[in-house]
């Protein structure tokens, strides 16, 4: 299972998400797991604009309203089913 939230924060030049939400493939390319149709995990390639504290500013790859998985990321994989819980 995993947890999800509607986009963390929208900045003028990108979308801010917690750093732990970003995963990297074997070549080091960043992506973010989001909750797709039928609560299925989907990996979305992203471009990181900058890091700010414990957050990343995403320049491209996410849209406002994406449900970003930020807890249990290490236990989930694309195609798995999650029970999303919106962060309060």
């Amino acid at each position: 299972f995993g947890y999800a939230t509607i986009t963390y924060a929208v900045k003028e030049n990108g979308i801010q998400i917690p750093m732990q939400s970003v995963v990297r493939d074997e070549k080091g390319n960043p992506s973010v797991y989001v909750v797709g149709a039928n609560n299925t995990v989907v990996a979305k390639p992203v471009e990181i604009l900058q890091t700010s504290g414990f957050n990343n500013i995403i320049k491209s790859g996410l849209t406002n309203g994406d449900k970003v998985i930020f807890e249990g990321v290490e236990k989930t994989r694309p195609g798995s089913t999650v029970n999303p819980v919106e962060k309060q």
Side-chain angles (χ1 to χ4, degrees):
F1 67 94
Y3 296 91
T5 184
I6 305 302
T7 303
Y8 196 70
V10 178
K11 298 289 188 181
E12 190 172 311
N13 53 355
I15 298 173
Q16 179 176 301
I17 62 170
M19 190 179 291
Q20 74 264 21
S21 298
V22 176
V23 296
R24 295 187 180 270
D25 65 16
E26 62 279 347
K27 294 182 181 179
N29 300 315
S31 60
V32 173
Y33 293 154
V34 299
V35 179
N38 300 317
N39 292 335
T40 302
V41 177
V42 176
K44 292 184 85 172
V46 295
E47 181 180 352
I48 299 172
L49 178 66
Q50 70 182 56
T51 299
S52 175
F54 293 105
N55 299 303
N56 285 318
I57 309 297
I58 305 300
K59 180 178 180 179
S60 64
L62 290 178
T63 56
N64 191 19
D66 277 344
K67 294 181 179 180
V68 176
I69 297 174
F70 66 94
E71 288 185 26
V73 173
E74 68 283 348
K75 297 177 184 177
T76 197
R77 296 288 175 262
S80 60
T81 302
V82 293
N83 182 23
V85 176
E86 188 173 334
K87 182 178 180 180
Q88 301 297 323

